[in-house]
Amino acid sequence: MLLTKWGKSLDKDCPLPEYPRPQFVRDSYLSLNGEWSLGFYKKGTFESLEEYSITVPFSPECPLSGVNRVLGKDEYLLYEKSFSLPEGFNAGRVLLHFGAVDQIADVSLNGRYIMRHEGGYTPFECDITSYLKDGENTLTVKVEDVCEDNEFSRGKQRTRRGGIWYSAQSGIWQSVWLESVPQDYIRSVRITPDFDREQVNFEFDGANGVLIRIYDGESLIAETNERTVKIPDFKPWSPESPFLYRVTFSYKSDRVKSYFGMRKFSVGSDKDGILRLFLNNKPYFQNGLLDQGYYPDGYLTPPSNEAMEHDVRTVKELGFNMLRKHIKIEPLLWYHYCDTHGIIVWQDMINGGGNYGLEVSVLPFVGIKLDDTKHGSFHRTSEKAMSLYYTELDEMLAHLYNCPCIAAWVPFNEGWGQFDSAAAYHHIKKFDSTRIVDSASGWHDMGVSDVISKHIYFTPIKVKTGDRPYVLSEFGGLSTRVSGHTFNDKMFGYKLYRDCKKLTKAYKRLFERVIIPQIKTGLAATVYTQVSDVEDELNGIMTYDREVLKIDADTVKDINERVKIV
């Protein structure tokens, strides 16, 4: 069993204890992470097959849960947790929050049914005030998950894992927590920096007349009830200077703390007329890594918040300025670390649909582009699943909208369950016009996108400019095995090398001969595969346990100094 150093020191009574929502903070917080009871049940029955004690928020399939049992397709999970509210905790209403539960969750409290949530990657909450009783309360969560046997979003999970597909998991996999709010409270806020007008806009749900206070460090620079606030001579956010303004919101007796960054993501032409990605109205080369966000001991769940920050810090210290969060929605603290350390993020939507076929594995490589309005060609035919895609998409957009680091939304990747990508582009732009949209990353581009987005692993990389900036949204994948730091004895990679020295030489050669020379002719951004090894994939710059940096750090730093527009 491969464990990270954070997994080895896990406090099972209090895992991932940090406040989980730094973009919208209240003083009220009670974590329900830790020991829960868990039963595996045969579908259609109420008799348990097996009973366990599980460490939440780790899925039963992963080592850190203490269970290590796979949920069968004909089974469901039943979680139970007892808790009592601290004296004085209830300020009027009590809200129950789930970071993510895979795939379908039914929530009950004290034997009374509350709600259902469908979708394994987005958060949800419910007001449990009227369901509470004095003393001990019993929370029950029923979970169903059939992975790829429906068209729901499933990410890179597969029941028969291998290659680029990873171990399936189920159940609660992000933090569960309580907060208390007054009877009248701010439900949410939408923060939109307006770089060109030197102002920031606030839109509140559930409150009018909110008092806004904005701070530059400890200095109060604005205090107003207006929803548009001027910030003359503001300090811009960028990877080189990730400055964040603190802001507080006061509404009746409700108090919330947040932050924002003044930045602008756009597309434009440089001095030579080449289309580029722009940051803060200037051409800016986005040089990043593909980031799967998997761990050998927690799978989708980080073994600690320090583990998440370690990845972000390492990437930044090596000189990268961007991460493409690949087919996963992270806990909000991950985005906070990108905000504070200065890492731009491209955020993928989670893929779903039926079993993938030639549209993914063959046709793109022989130059055949399919029309994604013909849903059968992409194995996305369920009307319910397509409707759920948009429900989850909207939940993701709203959930992450206030993260300054996010520069791009990626609704579809490599044709995995792709459908109507032009419609998805316009849907996203209507919700959020401030960010770039890469409608079809890799292939099957319908021409409605802000970028030309290519994945190239096996053929020569030759940048062909067009009517949009050209981004190499996946490439590289150079691999080597580091003994003692692998998930198993298998090895998947796009090019294999005997040791880290040879891997470093190949990495250096790829960038110096192929990538850097093509920046001046039109290459606008790169996403090298990838941050860490993941299960069979041994193409990370770090091993899966994050113990070994496989490519020489000084070499990477030197190269990254030259991966830019000059």
Side-chain angles (χ1 to χ4, degrees):
M1 181 187 300
L2 186 65
L3 298 174
T4 64
K5 62 182 179 182
W6 305 281
K8 292 174 183 176
S9 60
L10 178 72
D11 180 355
K12 292 186 177 182
D13 294 325
C14 192
L16 294 110
E18 292 86 351
Y19 189 90
R21 192 183 59 191
Q23 293 84 354
F24 198 77
V25 178
R26 289 189 175 95
D27 291 336
S28 170
Y29 172 58
L30 179 63
S31 175
L32 296 185
N33 292 346
E35 184 178 347
W36 292 48
S37 64
L38 176 69
F40 285 74
Y41 287 74
K42 192 82 170 178
K43 286 183 177 177
T45 74
F46 298 98
E47 184 175 341
S48 67
L49 301 172
E50 295 177 51
E51 297 284 345
Y52 297 89
S53 174
I54 185 171
T55 302
V56 168
F58 298 100
S59 293
E61 291 82 358
C62 76
L64 293 183
S65 71
V67 176
N68 291 294
R69 185 194 188 287
V70 176
L71 178 66
K73 295 178 181 179
D74 59 346
E75 298 173 346
Y76 67 91
L77 301 172
L78 200 61
Y79 287 83
E80 191 172 282
K81 172 76 170 180
S82 295
F83 66 90
S84 298
L85 296 181
E87 185 176 352
F89 181 83
N90 190 346
R93 299 175 185 266
V94 177
L95 306 180
L96 170 63
H97 296 268
F98 291 87
V101 182
D102 194 14
Q103 290 171 302
I104 303 169
D106 289 290
V107 181
S108 301
L109 186 64
N110 298 323
R112 298 169 61 195
Y113 183 77
I114 300 176
M115 68 168 294
R116 165 173 281 212
H117 182 264
E118 296 184 339
Y121 287 80
T122 50
F124 59 99
E125 66 181 61
C126 47
D127 186 334
I128 62 171
T129 311
S130 62
Y131 299 85
L132 291 165
K133 62 182 183 180
D134 293 337
E136 190 172 79
N137 293 268
T138 302
L139 174 63
T140 305
V141 185
K142 177 186 175 184
V143 180
E144 299 174 69
D145 183 0
V146 294
C147 196
E148 74 270 26
D149 276 12
N150 59 27
E151 295 192 18
F152 286 18
S153 297
R154 60 180 178 270
K156 298 197 76 174
Q157 303 178 60
R158 181 174 284 180
T159 49
R160 293 185 178 182
R161 53 154 303 281
I164 67 167
W165 306 104
Y166 312 142
S167 297
Q169 62 176 78
S170 57
I172 299 170
W173 68 274
Q174 287 194 29
S175 289
V176 185
W177 55 288
L178 299 172
E179 71 172 336
S180 188
V181 297
Q183 288 291 340
D184 297 319
Y185 67 102
I186 305 169
R187 298 182 186 276
S188 65
V189 62
R190 177 179 163 112
I191 306 174
T192 307
D194 189 335
F195 192 92
D196 294 334
R197 293 183 176 87
E198 297 186 308
Q199 63 190 29
V200 58
N201 301 309
F202 301 94
E203 300 171 66
F204 298 97
D205 180 17
N208 291 312
V210 176
L211 180 62
I212 301 166
R213 294 185 178 93
I214 298 175
Y215 297 84
D216 178 341
E218 298 301 316
S219 300
L220 179 66
I221 62 171
E223 184 174 29
T224 181
N225 294 111
E226 298 295 325
R227 296 194 176 191
T228 297
V229 185
K230 289 284 187 180
I231 309 180
D233 302 317
F234 63 79
K235 298 175 182 177
W237 182 97
S238 71
E240 292 71 30
S241 180
F243 183 83
L244 298 170
Y245 288 93
R246 293 191 302 113
V247 59
T248 64
F249 308 116
S250 301
Y251 173 65
K252 298 184 178 180
S253 59
D254 193 19
R255 302 289 182 273
V256 176
K257 293 180 285 187
S258 187
Y259 64 86
F260 63 90
M262 295 296 294
R263 83 292 180 264
K264 177 183 177 183
F265 301 111
S266 58
V267 168
S269 298
D270 66 13
K271 57 183 174 57
D272 298 317
I274 297 173
L275 286 169
R276 301 287 189 185
L277 299 180
F278 275 47
L279 172 63
N280 300 337
N281 291 328
K282 296 178 181 179
Y284 190 88
F285 193 92
Q286 296 188 21
N287 171 27
L289 298 170
L290 196 70
D291 187 0
Q292 313 274 6
Y294 268 77
Y295 299 86
D297 43 12
Y299 294 2
L300 283 173
T301 309
S304 74
N305 289 306
E306 289 84 356
M308 287 194 294
E309 188 169 19
H310 169 270
D311 283 2
V312 174
R313 281 184 180 274
T314 299
V315 167
K316 186 64 184 287
E317 289 169 359
L318 289 172
F320 297 98
N321 59 32
M322 179 260 280
L323 287 168
R324 179 182 170 198
K325 181 49 62 177
H326 194 41
I327 319 296
K328 183 190 179 189
I329 300 171
E330 291 283 4
L332 277 171
L333 274 162
W334 184 85
Y335 302 92
H336 176 68
Y337 298 140
C338 292
D339 291 337
T340 55
H341 292 298
I343 290 291
I344 293 170
V345 173
W346 293 9
Q347 177 63 48
D348 288 7
M349 177 55 184
I350 313 304
N351 63 292
N355 292 322
Y356 308 143
L358 297 179
E359 80 284 1
V360 168
S361 60
V362 175
L363 299 184
F365 303 103
V366 294
I368 296 176
K369 180 174 71 173
L370 297 178
D371 180 355
D372 67 14
T373 64
K374 297 178 180 178
H375 301 159
S377 299
F378 289 85
H379 303 87
R380 197 69 178 256
T381 56
S382 165
E383 292 296 330
K384 178 180 179 181
M386 287 188 282
S387 175
L388 180 60
Y389 171 88
Y390 276 101
T391 298
E392 292 182 88
L393 175 64
D394 288 345
E395 289 177 350
M396 180 187 77
L397 296 174
H399 179 52
L400 301 179
Y401 183 86
N402 290 341
C403 301
C405 61
I406 296 179
W409 303 113
V410 185
F412 296 108
N413 178 75
E414 292 187 350
W416 302 349
Q418 183 173 322
F419 70 101
D420 302 334
S421 61
Y425 172 90
H426 292 300
H427 181 91
I428 295 170
K429 284 291 189 176
K430 183 178 180 181
F431 184 91
D432 179 9
S433 62
T434 70
R435 293 178 169 102
I436 304 303
V437 176
D438 177 1
S439 300
S441 187
W443 38 78
H444 301 305
D445 180 354
M446 297 292 102
V448 182
S449 182
D450 291 325
V451 293
I452 299 169
S453 179
K454 298 294 184 180
H455 296 180
I456 303 175
Y457 288 106
F458 302 110
T459 56
I461 298 171
K462 294 182 179 179
V463 175
K464 296 180 181 179
T465 56
D467 60 349
R468 294 166 278 161
Y470 185 105
V471 302
L472 193 55
S473 46
E474 285 188 34
F475 79 107
L478 311 182
S479 306
T480 196
R481 172 184 294 276
V482 179
S483 179
H485 298 275
T486 59
F487 184 76
N488 55 28
D489 59 359
K490 296 182 179 180
M491 183 173 181
F492 176 89
Y494 299 101
K495 290 184 180 179
L496 310 181
Y497 296 90
R498 290 184 180 179
D499 54 44
C500 292
K501 287 185 178 180
K502 287 183 172 58
L503 178 67
T504 297
K505 288 181 180 178
Y507 180 91
K508 185 172 186 287
R509 183 167 58 248
L510 173 62
F511 273 85
E512 290 185 339
R513 295 184 182 180
V514 179
I515 300 303
I516 294 173
Q518 296 193 81
I519 295 175
K520 64 178 179 292
T521 61
L523 184 59
T526 50
V527 180
Y528 178 85
T529 302
Q530 60 186 333
V531 170
S532 76
D533 296 346
V534 184
E535 299 196 356
D536 295 1
E537 287 192 64
L538 302 185
N539 49 19
I541 63 169
M542 291 185 286
T543 53
Y544 199 12
D545 57 7
R546 276 64 166 184
E547 288 292 330
V548 179
L549 186 66
K550 296 161 66 177
I551 302 177
D552 176 69
D554 289 337
T555 299
V556 176
K557 291 176 186 178
D558 174 69
I559 290 170
N560 283 337
E561 283 291 324
R562 293 176 280 153
V563 181
K564 57 187 177 182
I565 299 169
V566 293

